[in-house]
Amino acid sequence: MFCQVEKDKPADNYIYPPNSYNNYEGLTPKESWDIHKAAYIKQLKSKGSTGEEYDKSLLEYEKQKEEFLTQVKEQNRIAEVQREKDDELRKQHAIQREKDAELRKKSQAWREHSEDILIKNITLSNKSNGSKPITFDVPTKTTLYIGVRAHIRSGNVSIEIFNPKGIKEGELSLKYQPNSNENSDGPEYTSGALNKTISNTDVGEWQIKISSQKSNGNIAMSVAQSIKPTVDE
């Protein structure tokens, strides 16, 4: 026996309103809804909707449209805020890249026009409270580049730089400060750095004096001099 299966009928509301935030074919969300409304009205009339039912359906349609357009407006606002943040971030990155490039340029110039006259690493022991001054000679007027890095895990330390006349040209002082973070791993250090550029230097013996009080840690220092005459800088 043969039987015929009736084809599925389309649902009463088989025309669905636009539900995308994106524009289609250059239309705004509101324009998409307005165009769709004509098809929706045609559907209502084909169903034979009464005046009251017809008005109620259109009222509900307009309500959905307004809710959707409000969502679109909020979505666009959020997107615009994000675009502004992204633009600002790109500007900051561009500025940082320029700064980094300038630093690299300066570092390259220093490497090309300077030579090291002192490189030293010192280990601090809490058993000693001082050490002999570290000296280096500057035979002619020049520009000095002095860098000091210190890391201590106890006590305190002072590093002072003196010119041949006994005048202090720079100082780095550190006092150990325990890390309050109980979850930190490994030894705790208090660190500091001193970078000093001294132009038209005094000729003679320079000194770097280190005073340590029960300090445990290490100090790295370097001194470079310009190989370009000061008058040409």
Side-chain angles (χ1 to χ4, degrees):
M1 173 181 274
F2 295 95
C3 62
Q4 186 176 0
V5 179
E6 184 178 0
K7 293 183 179 180
D8 293 336
K9 293 182 180 179
D12 289 339
N13 296 320
Y14 58 89
I15 297 180
Y16 299 99
N19 61 357
S20 173
Y21 295 112
N22 300 319
N23 295 346
Y24 287 104
E25 297 180 356
L27 298 175
T28 66
K30 182 179 183 304
E31 289 171 339
S32 297
W33 274 72
D34 289 340
I35 292 173
H36 173 271
K37 185 177 179 180
Y40 183 68
I41 291 175
K42 184 177 180 181
Q43 175 188 324
L44 291 177
K45 291 180 177 179
S46 67
K47 291 170 54 179
S49 300
T50 62
E52 183 178 349
E53 182 182 0
Y54 177 85
D55 292 340
K56 183 179 179 181
S57 296
L58 281 186
L59 186 63
E60 180 62 26
Y61 185 91
E62 290 295 333
K63 179 181 177 182
Q64 291 181 25
K65 183 180 80 171
E66 291 304 318
E67 289 176 352
F68 178 77
L69 294 181
T70 299
Q71 293 176 6
V72 171
K73 185 177 180 180
E74 177 62 14
Q75 192 79 2
N76 290 339
R77 185 192 69 81
I78 294 173
E80 180 61 27
V81 171
Q82 187 59 50
R83 280 193 294 271
E84 291 177 356
K85 289 182 179 179
D86 292 342
D87 288 343
E88 182 61 29
L89 193 59
R90 281 191 289 270
K91 290 178 182 177
Q92 292 177 4
H93 286 167
I95 292 173
Q96 188 60 49
R97 283 194 297 271
E98 290 179 0
K99 289 181 178 179
D100 293 342
E102 184 64 25
L103 286 175
R104 286 193 296 271
K105 184 178 179 181
K106 288 183 178 180
S107 297
Q108 181 64 27
W110 285 353
R111 287 191 294 270
E112 293 175 354
H113 300 97
S114 66
E115 61 181 2
D116 293 327
I117 58 177
L118 174 69
I119 296 178
K120 200 166 187 67
N121 293 301
I122 299 169
T123 300
L124 299 173
S125 171
N126 53 20
K127 295 181 180 179
S128 60
N129 291 330
S131 61
K132 293 182 180 180
I134 298 168
T135 63
F136 58 92
D137 188 59
V138 177
T140 59
K141 285 186 176 295
T142 183
T143 296
L144 290 181
Y145 310 110
I146 302 175
V148 180
R149 301 287 184 276
H151 309 276
I152 60 173
R153 54 180 179 270
S154 65
N156 55 73
V157 65
S158 175
I159 302 110
E160 299 171 300
I161 303 167
F162 292 92
N163 66 24
K165 295 178 181 179
I167 299 173
K168 186 186 296 186
E169 295 281 1
E171 179 180 9
L172 173 64
S173 296
L174 288 179
K175 182 177 181 180
Y176 175 67
Q177 300 289 342
N179 193 337
S180 60
N181 185 2
E182 297 179 356
N183 297 324
S184 61
D185 298 327
E188 298 175 355
Y189 288 92
T190 296
S191 302
L194 169 66
N195 294 296
K196 187 82 175 180
T197 300
I198 305 172
S199 301
N200 198 27
T201 57
D202 289 309
V203 175
E205 184 181 85
W206 287 63
Q207 293 186 344
I208 300 178
K209 295 182 179 180
I210 301 174
S211 300
S212 172
Q213 296 182 357
K214 297 181 179 180
S215 183
N216 217 320
N218 59 79
I219 300 172
M221 60 181 66
S222 65
V223 180
Q225 68 176 356
S226 173
I227 57 177
K228 192 177 181 181
T230 305
V231 294
D232 293 336
E233 292 182 348

